[in-house]
Amino acid sequence: MKKTILTGIKPTGQVHLGNYMGAIKPALGLAQVQDYQAAYFVADYHALTKTHDAEEFRQLSYGIAATWLALGLDPEKAIFYRQSDVPEIFELNWVLSCFSPKGLMNRAHAYKSMVDSNQASGKDADLGVNMGLFNYPILMAADILMFKTDIVPVGKDQIQHVEIARDIAEHFNNNYGETFILPEYQIQEDTAVLPGLDGRKMSKSYHNTIPLFAESKNLQKLINKIKTDSLPPEAPKNPDESILFTLYKEFASPDEIAQMKLQYLSGIGWGEAKKELFNVMNNFLEEPREKYNELMSSPERIDAILKEGAEKARAVSSPFLKEIKNKVGFYA
Ligand code: TRP
């Protein structure tokens, strides 16, 4: 039997190149593995803990869905859905919450770091904390356990959440007998950590990102903002110390990379290096960007794809939820 590999992205911001290299690209690779059944979803209910503007919420949700599709996720092969279209997840969320020790939630890092920073600045500990944020790990456990997930590919910051899902599953299994599969997390150790405009890791919180589908003019502008030193154009440059070259390597062919390395060593102006970087990036992004824009201008097409995905998801979640409710004692 195929192993289920499941992951969700929550639509809380514009997808950037760092997200692509670090999370989406490896997940797309895993979806191709013969022994895996991929279940990838838009974690919209999770985003609701943060985004309270309806129009923004809608755009960001479609944006995540269109991103996956534009980059080549095949909805025929993967189960690709919107979390909120699968109500069984939400029902399971309640059942699981009755097996989730509150103390465990107190220690969950998203909540805890907010409390810590409130306390450090002398404010009320729970200032700005809604119950959605507090319950976040339980909903995530429901996402994972609902589909008998074997493997959850995630970033390091999500390890704790997968461990919480295992904990909750164990509490339930201990009480009612083997029901849930205990999921394993999988960290993508070998994926590139992309530098942002200032050379630090590209991250929304550093405001140094390049949006994945920036229009080419804007892409060029952003690349022009990348920090460089003041060496004159003819001076030899060390490619291994250049943000421009690190980025170039991610998008160019091996031949281009070898060529560019020589140009650095024999002296290339930063302006020229930026132009070359723009060319390879733009080349790589052109096609998915076009697909993305097409999809975003006809959201009904995205809806249709997600709806089909939700049907596939519910073919699994609906009977499993019945079985779970049966064990808990809802039916005769
Ligand atoms: N919490 C994850 C993140 O912020 C998103 C997410 C929600 C998720 N449910 C999930 C990831 C289930 C993996 C599995 O990145």
Side-chain angles (χ1 to χ4, degrees):
M1 217 175 88
K2 286 191 176 195
K3 289 194 167 185
T4 298
I5 177 155
L6 173 142
T7 199
I9 297 190
K10 68 174 183 242
T12 47
Q14 220 179 11
V15 179
H16 58 72
L17 280 169
N19 299 139
Y20 171 63
M21 286 295 170
I24 302 176
K25 189 178 171 196
L28 287 169
L30 291 168
Q32 302 285 344
V33 177
Q34 273 306 318
D35 299 341
Y36 291 162
Q37 170 62 58
Y40 294 165
F41 65 97
V42 181
D44 51 354
Y45 268 139
H46 276 111
L48 192 57
T49 64
K50 265 203 185 146
T51 308
H52 291 171
D53 177 288
E55 196 43 42
E56 187 190 355
F57 186 77
R58 202 181 342 262
Q59 286 306 318
L60 289 172
S61 296
Y62 279 123
I64 294 289
T67 298
W68 278 111
L69 294 168
L71 293 169
L73 180 69
D74 178 357
E76 298 292 320
K77 273 202 202 145
I79 304 179
F80 179 55
Y81 57 99
R82 178 156 49 197
Q83 182 187 35
S84 63
D85 284 341
V86 183
E88 289 80 13
I89 297 171
F90 213 72
E91 266 191 76
L92 180 60
N93 173 70
W94 179 263
V95 174
L96 295 181
S97 75
C98 300
F99 291 85
S100 306
K102 176 171 176 289
L104 188 62
M105 297 306 118
N106 289 342
R107 292 189 293 277
H109 68 78
Y111 169 70
K112 197 170 171 295
S113 70
M114 248 174 109
V115 168
D116 289 349
S117 89
N118 278 337
Q119 281 171 335
S121 50
K123 296 181 190 138
D124 180 78
D126 282 327
L127 184 74
V129 177
N130 61 54
M131 287 304 292
L133 176 69
F134 188 69
N135 291 330
Y136 189 108
I138 307 177
L139 180 58
M140 184 157 157
D143 289 330
I144 296 169
L145 300 177
M146 187 83 264
F147 295 98
K148 307 184 185 184
T149 303
D150 299 285
I151 301 163
V152 189
V154 282
K156 286 204 182 78
D157 62 321
Q158 297 296 315
I159 293 177
Q160 187 195 27
H161 288 149
V162 180
E163 283 171 342
I164 290 175
R166 289 175 66 95
D167 261 23
I168 297 174
E170 274 181 322
H171 280 291
F172 188 99
N173 288 353
N174 286 339
N175 200 69
Y176 297 107
E178 286 309 308
T179 307
F180 294 118
I181 290 184
L182 303 188
E184 310 272 353
Y185 58 80
Q186 182 172 312
I187 301 295
Q188 251 42 67
E189 292 291 2
D190 53 346
T191 54
V193 172
L194 222 59
L197 300 178
D198 57 358
R200 292 187 290 173
K201 177 187 173 188
M202 191 180 288
S203 159
K204 206 169 51 177
S205 43
Y206 294 152
H207 304 289
N208 66 354
T209 64
I210 300 178
L212 186 54
F213 297 125
E215 290 307 325
S216 66
K217 271 224 176 82
N218 193 22
L219 179 63
Q220 196 153 26
K221 257 195 216 151
L222 288 168
I223 289 173
N224 284 335
K225 277 194 193 163
I226 294 175
K227 247 170 77 179
T228 50
D229 58 29
S230 53
L231 285 177
E234 65 285 358
K237 317 246 173 357
N238 182 351
D240 299 326
E241 282 174 6
S242 163
I243 309 170
L244 295 174
F245 190 72
T246 308
L247 287 167
Y248 187 87
K249 276 194 300 192
E250 292 302 323
F251 301 95
S253 68
D255 271 358
E256 288 169 323
I257 296 172
Q259 280 287 328
M260 186 53 63
K261 196 166 193 166
L262 292 177
Q263 286 199 58
Y264 269 71
L265 295 173
S266 64
I268 181 174
W270 290 129
E272 182 64 20
K274 285 180 173 178
K275 215 161 79 195
E276 294 296 336
L277 174 60
F278 169 75
N279 286 339
V280 290
M281 266 197 190
N282 197 46
N283 207 2
F284 172 87
L285 292 168
E286 220 162 11
E287 211 183 295
R289 182 200 296 141
E290 203 171 300
K291 271 196 206 152
Y292 175 85
N293 288 336
E294 260 172 47
L295 284 163
M296 287 304 277
S297 63
S298 45
E300 67 287 348
R301 273 178 56 207
I302 305 177
D303 281 330
I305 292 168
L306 291 173
K307 189 165 160 262
E308 252 180 62
E311 275 163 27
K312 282 200 265 175
R314 295 190 73 186
V316 179
S317 61
S318 175
F320 191 34
L321 181 67
K322 276 215 181 86
E323 192 186 319
I324 295 162
K325 287 170 79 173
N326 206 4
K327 288 197 180 183
V328 172
F330 282 100
Y331 308 118

mmCIF file of all heavy atoms in Angstrom, residues 55 122-123 155:
data_model
loop_
_atom_site.group_PDB
_atom_site.id
_atom_site.type_symbol
_atom_site.label_atom_id
_atom_site.label_comp_id
_atom_site.label_asym_id
_atom_site.label_seq_id
_atom_site.Cartn_x
_atom_site.Cartn_y
_atom_site.Cartn_z
ATOM 1 N N GLU A 55 -11.488 40.034 1.939
ATOM 2 C CA GLU A 55 -10.966 40.065 0.579
ATOM 3 C C GLU A 55 -9.513 39.596 0.526
ATOM 4 O O GLU A 55 -9.111 38.836 -0.361
ATOM 5 C CB GLU A 55 -11.121 41.476 -0.011
ATOM 6 C CG GLU A 55 -10.969 41.548 -1.517
ATOM 7 C CD GLU A 55 -11.683 40.426 -2.281
ATOM 8 O OE1 GLU A 55 -12.833 40.070 -1.922
ATOM 9 O OE2 GLU A 55 -11.088 39.866 -3.224
ATOM 10 N N GLY A 122 5.672 43.564 29.753
ATOM 11 C CA GLY A 122 4.803 43.955 30.849
ATOM 12 C C GLY A 122 3.321 44.024 30.512
ATOM 13 O O GLY A 122 2.545 44.663 31.211
ATOM 14 N N LYS A 123 2.931 43.348 29.423
ATOM 15 C CA LYS A 123 1.523 43.385 29.027
ATOM 16 C C LYS A 123 0.796 42.153 29.556
ATOM 17 O O LYS A 123 1.420 41.209 30.054
ATOM 18 C CB LYS A 123 1.410 43.410 27.504
ATOM 19 C CG LYS A 123 2.018 44.664 26.887
ATOM 20 C CD LYS A 123 1.845 44.612 25.378
ATOM 21 C CE LYS A 123 2.647 45.705 24.687
ATOM 22 N NZ LYS A 123 3.313 45.223 23.475
ATOM 23 N N GLY A 155 8.897 22.271 7.589
ATOM 24 C CA GLY A 155 10.076 23.016 8.030
ATOM 25 C C GLY A 155 10.320 22.756 9.509
ATOM 26 O O GLY A 155 9.426 22.270 10.218
#
